[in-house]
Every structure is written in C-alpha cells, then in structure tokens.
Amino acid sequence: QVQLVESGGGLVQAGGSLRLSCAASRNIFSINAMGWYRQAPGKQRELVAAITSGGTRNYADSVKGRFTMSRDNAKNTIDLQMNSLKPEDTAVYYCNALWGSDSYWGQGTQVTVSS
C-alpha cells in the first residue's frame, strides 16, 4: 500500500502563488506514476499534472505555463508549484499514486483563490 499526505493548501488572491506537497509512504521510484488532481464543487475530478517514474511530466492545458510539478526522490515527495492562480483554480487538490494495478489517494487539500 501507499499512504499519501498532502499539505500546502490555503487561501490566496488571484495572481498569487501556492505550493502543494505530497509525501508518500514508500520510495517513489517504485511508484509507476504520481499525479495531482482537483475537484471543484459540482464538477468531476480532473487531472492537473502527472509524472511517471521515468520523469515524464504531463499538464492539463488549463495550467500549462502556470503550474510546475517536481519530485524529490530523497524525501519521497512530489510538489506542485502553482503561480498566477485564478479563481477557477479553486478546488480540493488530491495527490494520487499508481502502484502496480492499484490507485491510491491522499485526503485532499483545499485551494481557494479569491478574485
């Protein structure tokens, strides 16, 4: 199993920045892929950014150029640096890990962007 703990959410004004962090309970090299998802009220959960064990990154079109995902192998963490935040980025952000054939989720962290 993989336990995931997110941190770093909060309230920020439009144009501001936040950094989210996700700590995994096992060596992230052993995890096939990790990602950040978000879910806004009344909407489906959507992929924001993902990174494979080989280091390939993918971003949703809506966040390209504003969000950057990074990985710290020594700390078994992945971070999401979010710049130029917009009100439409408001959502609960979830960390996800694909390990073998199983998918694991963190508890989520709220990001609220005020206009």
Side-chain angles (χ1 to χ4, degrees), residues 41-100:
K43 294 187 177 181
Q44 289 188 331
R45 193 171 296 189
E46 62 176 359
L47 176 67
V48 176
I51 186 169
T52 67
S53 58
T56 301
R57 292 170 176 82
N58 289 297
Y59 296 94
D61 288 342
S62 59
V63 306
K64 282 181 181 177
R66 299 189 297 123
F67 291 10
T68 302
M69 186 173 180
S70 60
R71 181 176 68 186
D72 189 325
N73 298 326
K75 296 181 179 179
N76 292 323
T77 59
I78 58 167
D79 289 353
L80 185 68
Q81 177 66 42
M82 306 185 294
N83 298 327
S84 302
L85 283 161
K86 304 176 181 179
E88 51 263 44
D89 294 318
T90 295
V92 178
Y93 283 69
Y94 296 90
C95 181
N96 174 265
L98 292 175
W99 186 59

Side-chain angles (χ1 to χ4, degrees), residues 9 34 36 39-42 47-49 74 83 101 114-115:
M34 296 188 72
W36 287 98
Q39 188 167 19
L47 176 67
V48 176
N83 298 327
S101 60
S114 63
S115 57

Side-chain angles (χ1 to χ4, degrees), residues 5-22:
V5 179
E6 301 106 332
S7 60
L11 173 65
V12 65
Q13 288 188 333
S17 298
L18 282 174
R19 188 177 184 89
L20 306 182
S21 184
C22 172

